[in-house]
Amino acid sequence: MADKRRVVITGAGVVSPFGAGVDTLVNALLENRSGISTHTLLKEFPLMNSHVAGIVPEIDFSFIPRHYRRSMTKMSLFAMLCVTEALKTAGHAKAPAGTAVYIGSTVSSMQAWLDFSEKFLNKRLDLVKSTAVFQVMNHSPLANLQQALDIRGPGLGASNACATGLMNIGLAYQAIRQGTLESALAGGTDEYHPMMTGCFAIMNAASSQYNDAPARASRPFDKDRGGIVCSEGCGIVYLETLDSAKKRSANILAEITGFAANTETKSISHPSSDSIIECMSMALDSAGVTPREIDLVNAHATSTVDGDIEEAISIEKVFGKDPPVNSLKGHLGHTMAASGSMELIAVIHMMLGGKAAGTLNLDAVDPACAGIRHFTGTVECAVNTFVKNSFALGGTNTSMVLRRYGA
Amino acid sequence: MMQREEIQKIINEAIAKEFELDISLLVPEANFETLGLDSLDAVDMVVVLEMAFRVDIRNNFTMADFTNLESLHNFIERLVRQKENAGE
């Protein structure tokens, strides 16, 4: 295939529980730090058995003019920072004409809806500000950042719960590869609300055994894991054709060579290895690579009992025991719509830096997850090609294959 | 009875806080355009001032009441006086 339709990532931006910036994230991961802390509000709910969350440290967003900021909630503010960083690292002062934006969230701002609902239920519409609708509409982050940054290309964000970030990068990749677009900004963003932990708590899928030791609460593949730790943040990449990147001598972070998505229909809440195996296999096929060519699998693994087992079984079935496997949710918790894109960005930089962070809190591997090659701590690694998984409630599975450019 | 100066101070402080404006910009002749405010801000200004004075603004104003800050001061003061005279 001609260079023109090969797709590369040349920019990236992150806001994570460690703060703003890709470097901040990658350094924290390589130092094996946890972004999880106690969230005291959670203790006030009698049936809320999980008291931990990954919250983005306070960031001063006053640099965004009030005219734009007034219709933004945290998920839009995070996205603004990330798009700005992604464009800057891509070498653009402004998104090139025609750049599409694929950005979504799991749900719109729960806090904004609560604020509106409280007034509505009290029959006090007179207290509702004019910008409420712009804060709660489903594509609020997408619309807000396109307005604020004057990005006039199509806004196309998908929303697939926790697979949103990787799904959007995959959709952007496909559109550029097929020639519909020349460039795109893509990823996911989400803001934390205790209701999200509540949603998982009532499904018995929220971490509850480590409330007194938050840094240990998220423990993918570990025998003592007990569920998800909900977090927040944003991850956005800038994609363009290889031809375009070469013409302007852009710094190429990685090349996307394959992507696949499918849907689990046996259950709206539980993944199955059949579906995950199919998704990863389709991604490998679309990239034209064999499982033996994969140097690292970055798992979705959220620290839930069932989900981690199904993914471990699937990885073993497709890749065997050879490729190292890590999940970054031990450090980050589950950043929801941002998880796929944020973790993808982190692994790209680990590939470029030659060091990878293993799974944090993986003290004793669950025997049911033991068929794959786990690693912990920070290790030297030579990764040229890796697979990124991202799955979601509702049945969405996504897998992407990336490689070091020039490898 | 609330003094006119006090009414003006409450209005100016509410507007300055809501729209992140330097209070020194809130001179009598300032209008929406010079303050950089738009139609969405006009809606929010009504919400903020109704909360500050507990008066019904949205059903009582005409555009002439919002010509500039001085006209807004006069309009709000009229509503406050009506409320006081009604013994509320």
Side-chain angles (χ1 to χ4, degrees):
Chain A
M1 178 171 282
D3 283 357
K4 187 180 177 189
R5 300 270 55 108
R6 287 169 65 182
V7 181
V8 293
I9 294 173
T10 53
V14 162
V15 169
S16 75
F18 298 110
V22 172
D23 290 347
T24 301
L25 169 69
V26 175
N27 290 338
L29 295 173
L30 292 175
E31 290 165 8
N32 297 298
R33 287 194 269 129
S34 165
I36 308 304
S37 57
T38 300
H39 196 66
T40 50
L41 185 63
L42 294 169
K43 295 181 180 178
E44 296 177 16
F45 295 82
L47 293 179
M48 191 81 81
N49 60 1
S50 180
H51 302 159
V52 290
I55 305 298
V56 171
E58 191 152 333
I59 295 171
D60 182 4
F61 291 104
S62 61
F63 70 93
I64 303 170
R66 181 197 67 86
H67 176 70
Y68 297 115
R69 189 168 15 95
R70 63 184 173 176
S71 50
M72 296 181 178
T73 65
K74 281 193 340 182
M75 64 174 77
S76 294
L77 296 168
F78 295 163
M80 274 288 291
L81 268 189
C82 289
V83 167
T84 303
E85 184 183 16
L87 288 173
K88 187 178 175 190
T89 52
H92 289 302
K94 189 174 188 304
T99 298
V101 184
Y102 290 76
I103 291 176
S105 54
T106 55
V107 292
S108 64
S109 170
M110 288 179 165
Q111 188 59 55
W113 269 118
L114 280 176
D115 292 344
F116 180 77
S117 301
E118 184 184 4
K119 291 160 188 164
F120 183 82
L121 292 172
N122 287 316
K123 311 285 191 291
R124 292 300 305 271
L125 283 181
D126 58 303
L127 300 179
V128 179
K129 298 266 184 73
S130 64
T131 48
V133 66
F134 305 110
Q135 296 181 339
V136 300
M137 58 191 189
N138 284 350
H139 70 320
S140 181
L142 177 72
N144 270 304
L145 75 90
Q146 289 201 258
Q147 294 289 326
L149 296 174
D150 190 27
I151 303 175
R152 303 183 188 186
L156 300 161
S159 175
N160 294 80
C162 300
T164 296
L166 197 65
M167 179 67 89
N168 278 319
I169 297 174
L171 293 174
Y173 156 72
Q174 289 176 335
I176 294 171
R177 187 170 175 81
Q178 289 161 8
T180 313
L181 292 170
E182 291 304 311
S183 59
L185 289 150
T189 184
D190 249 325
E191 63 189 61
Y192 178 78
H193 193 281
M195 268 203 289
M196 190 60 82
T197 300
C199 290
F200 286 99
I202 57 180
M203 290 189 286
N204 298 313
S207 170
S208 60
Q209 300 95 322
Y210 291 86
N211 286 333
D212 295 330
R216 302 177 63 202
S218 185
R219 33 198 323 115
F221 301 121
D222 186 81
K223 72 176 178 57
D224 291 330
R225 71 190 182 284
I228 284 178
V229 176
C230 295
S231 300
E232 63 180 359
C234 181
I236 306 290
V237 296
Y238 179 79
L239 305 93
E240 62 189 305
T241 63
L242 175 60
D243 190 48
S244 152
K246 283 165 76 173
K247 268 186 190 160
R248 61 188 194 87
S249 301
N251 180 34
I252 296 171
L253 299 174
E255 178 177 3
I256 301 175
T257 57
F259 174 72
N262 67 357
T263 305
E264 165 67 69
T265 56
K266 290 182 199 146
S267 166
I268 198 166
S269 59
H270 282 63
S272 77
S273 56
D274 290 348
S275 190
I276 296 172
I277 288 167
E278 181 186 71
C279 185
M280 291 192 296
S281 300
M282 290 192 302
L284 293 175
D285 286 347
S286 79
V289 296
T290 65
R292 294 179 64 85
E293 293 173 78
I294 301 302
D295 302 316
L296 176 77
V297 178
N298 180 240
H300 177 67
T302 61
S303 187
T304 58
V305 175
D306 293 341
D308 290 10
I309 292 172
E310 293 300 319
E311 187 173 10
I313 290 170
S314 306
I315 292 170
E316 182 183 6
K317 185 85 175 173
V318 174
F319 298 97
K321 297 178 188 303
D322 283 342
V325 178
N326 65 350
S327 165
L328 300 178
K329 291 188 178 69
H331 306 73
L332 292 164
H334 193 339
T335 57
M336 302 286 141
S339 61
S341 47
M342 185 190 300
E343 294 163 9
L344 179 83
I345 293 166
V347 177
I348 288 172
H349 283 80
M350 290 173 188
M351 174 174 73
L352 295 174
K355 285 183 181 176
T359 304
L360 190 64
N361 297 318
L362 181 52
D363 298 334
V365 176
D366 178 351
C369 302
I372 54 177
R373 188 174 154 200
H374 297 284
F375 68 103
T376 58
T378 297
V379 300
E380 305 272 339
C381 63
V383 174
N384 286 322
T385 307
F386 72 91
V387 167
K388 170 73 193 123
N389 286 338
S390 186
F391 312 138
L393 288 178
T396 302
N397 298 314
T398 56
S399 295
M400 183 171 280
V401 182
L402 298 99
R403 74 176 172 205
R404 184 194 300 268
Y405 174 64
Chain B
M1 179 175 149
M2 192 181 278
Q3 298 300 305
R4 177 174 169 80
E5 292 72 23
E6 189 183 351
I7 293 171
Q8 290 177 354
K9 185 168 181 285
I10 292 171
I11 293 171
N12 288 2
E13 286 179 353
I15 291 175
K17 183 181 176 198
E18 178 66 21
F19 303 121
E20 301 177 14
L21 295 169
D22 191 314
I23 200 94
S24 66
L25 295 173
L26 299 178
V27 293
E29 59 274 20
N31 59 40
F32 263 52
E33 199 172 323
T34 61
L35 293 174
L37 305 180
D38 63 13
S39 59
L40 293 179
D41 292 326
V43 174
D44 291 350
M45 191 171 73
V46 169
V47 173
V48 166
L49 295 178
E50 283 187 340
M51 286 170 67
F53 292 98
R54 306 285 178 202
V55 293
D56 178 1
I57 296 173
R58 68 190 69 215
N59 294 312
N60 287 301
F61 81 92
T62 64
M63 286 315 292
D65 295 319
F66 280 27
T67 309
N68 57 30
L69 193 57
E70 186 173 26
S71 67
L72 179 66
H73 287 164
N74 293 337
F75 168 68
I76 297 290
E77 186 181 6
R78 269 204 315 277
L79 292 181
V80 171
R81 299 294 172 238
Q82 285 170 12
K83 187 179 169 189
E84 287 171 346
N85 291 337
E88 291 179 30

